[in-house]
Amino acid sequence: MTSLLAEAPARARSTAQRPNGPVVLYIEDHPVNVLVMEALLLHRPKLRLVVATTGEEGLQAARVERPDLLLLDYHLPDCNGSDLLAELRRLDGLADTPAVVVSATDASGATGPDGFLEFWPKPLDVRGTLHAIDRLIDDHTHVGADRTLTIAGSIQ
């Protein structure tokens, strides 16, 4: 059986065509974890998920997309999440973008004033993850008056 991600080009890809909604950039190299996040965000149709599988792809996607939320795996093939976050913070407009480390290994030490806002352990808790995404996107998009969005909906 061929993985859906194995057929995707080796560059950042958008999983939906929602040009006007907030963008979630998920930098994750494991195809199953990407599929889980794609399934989760089906419950948030106003959000657009952009996926990158390496740190370099993530940087390129962040330059183009200017995401509203950063979700980073801590152990990527070409870097670790903390180093990548430092690079992302140097990009124009991303200094204050909420960032979360999503990892199967304990990366809770990566949270703090110079790091990630939160640590989400894998496997993800569906309801908790969706509520956290809503909260982080809502907080970030209300910072600028021209980027206001109310996210509604819940898992049925």
Side-chain angles (χ1 to χ4, degrees), residues 14 16-24 45-49 65-66 68 137 141 146-151:
S14 176
Q17 300 302 319
R18 298 179 194 124
N20 297 322
V23 174
V24 176
K46 293 185 188 229
L47 300 180
R48 184 166 56 90
L49 178 64
E65 299 289 344
R66 307 271 312 257
D68 299 282
I137 291 283
T141 57
D146 60 332
R147 298 192 65 175
T148 302
L149 172 76
T150 302
I151 298 173

Side-chain angles (χ1 to χ4, degrees), residues 129-150:
T129 300
L130 288 171
H131 289 298
I133 289 170
D134 290 345
R135 176 178 39 80
L136 292 168
I137 291 283
D138 190 53
D139 288 350
H140 182 66
T141 57
H142 281 96
V143 170
D146 60 332
R147 298 192 65 175
T148 302
L149 172 76
T150 302

